[in-house]
Each structure stands twice: as C-alpha cells, then as structure tokens.
Amino acid sequence: MKPSEYLQSVKNRLLTDQRISGYQIVREFEGLRKAYIRARLTLVDGGFLEFAEYIETSADNESQITQYSYQWIDAAGKFIRRWDNTPHHPDLENFPHHIHSADGEATPGKPTNISAVLDEVEAISGQLRTD
C-alpha cells in the first residue's frame, strides 16, 4: 500500500466509524514515499482524539507508520491516555512504543495505528461505562 492509499484508508475510517461524530484534518502531506496526517476527532460521547501519523515507504515498498501520537481527552477536557513512540522512555520494554495514562505513568506499548487506537478507545470506554 502506498502512503497515499494509506491516507485514503484513514479518511475512509474517519468517515464511517460510528464512534466519530466529526473530525478536522489539521495538516496533511502526501508524497510518493512519505505522508503525514494530523487530525482532531470529536467522539460521540463528547470526548476528543487527536492524532498524528508519519507514514514512509519501507525498503520492500510497504507503507509503515514511523512516528505516531494519539491523545484521548474526555468531554470535560480531562486527559485519559496517549499512545506514542517518542524515544523518551528507553527503560520500557518495546522502546520506543509506550502509553501515558491519566495517573502520569508510562507503560510499554506496541506499534499501533489510528484504527487500532479507535478500537482500544471503544473497548476502554465500554469498561468505564460498566464500572
């Protein structure tokens, strides 16, 4: 998949995901071998998910996300969670992938993308509603 095709798949997901009531693409770049998207999603519960992804073509001509950040904020503006691969927690397993929680802790993460994060937000939201 070319970076431009990946960007189109992201936009399709944003348009069709029932958990998203609206979105704004803040910045976007598309090149032959690189792409970038930064967007702010409004969730149906009034919360927000802001994200950025840098996509590059690997040596085997596959698109891969080389840098990412996804920040989830509830309807009251309270930080819930952030997934990123900024290399500032070298002591964590799976470095540089990690997750920041509302209590200020950073825990190991894994490579991810906007679709996986949206699925995780839904799973966590469901747990919060049943607690």
Side-chain angles (χ1 to χ4, degrees):
M1 178 182 301
K2 295 177 184 175
S4 59
E5 295 168 330
Y6 176 78
L7 282 184
Q8 190 58 51
S9 73
V10 168
K11 291 178 202 174
N12 289 341
R13 176 74 189 257
L14 301 182
L15 283 170
T16 59
D17 193 306
Q18 295 182 357
R19 296 166 289 209
I20 300 170
S21 63
Y23 70 90
Q24 174 187 16
I25 295 178
V26 177
R27 186 165 182 238
E28 180 179 10
F29 165 79
E30 234 179 89
L32 291 175
R33 299 189 58 82
K34 294 182 180 183
Y36 172 78
I37 186 168
R38 181 175 175 192
R40 180 179 175 136
L41 316 180
T42 303
L43 305 175
V44 294
D45 67 1
F48 298 95
L49 183 66
E50 297 183 9
F51 78 95
E53 292 180 339
Y54 286 95
I55 304 97
E56 295 184 22
T57 304
S58 66
D60 58 356
N61 283 325
E62 291 296 319
S63 290
Q64 60 185 19
I65 298 168
T66 57
Q67 292 179 305
Y68 63 83
S69 176
Y70 312 90
Q71 183 159 289
W72 180 21
I73 302 160
D74 72 12
K78 181 182 169 203
F79 170 80
I80 299 174
R81 182 170 286 187
R82 183 174 69 245
W83 299 256
D84 70 69
N85 66 344
T86 304
H88 55 230
H89 291 287
D91 54 318
L92 292 177
E93 185 180 341
N94 291 336
F95 173 79
H97 309 282
H98 60 280
I99 302 165
H100 297 271
S101 60
D103 63 9
E105 294 294 316
T107 57
K110 61 184 183 208
T112 193
N113 61 48
I114 187 58
S115 290
V117 168
L118 284 167
D119 292 343
E120 193 168 344
V121 165
E122 177 63 19
I124 294 168
S125 293
Q127 291 172 359
L128 294 175
R129 285 191 292 268
T130 60
D131 289 349

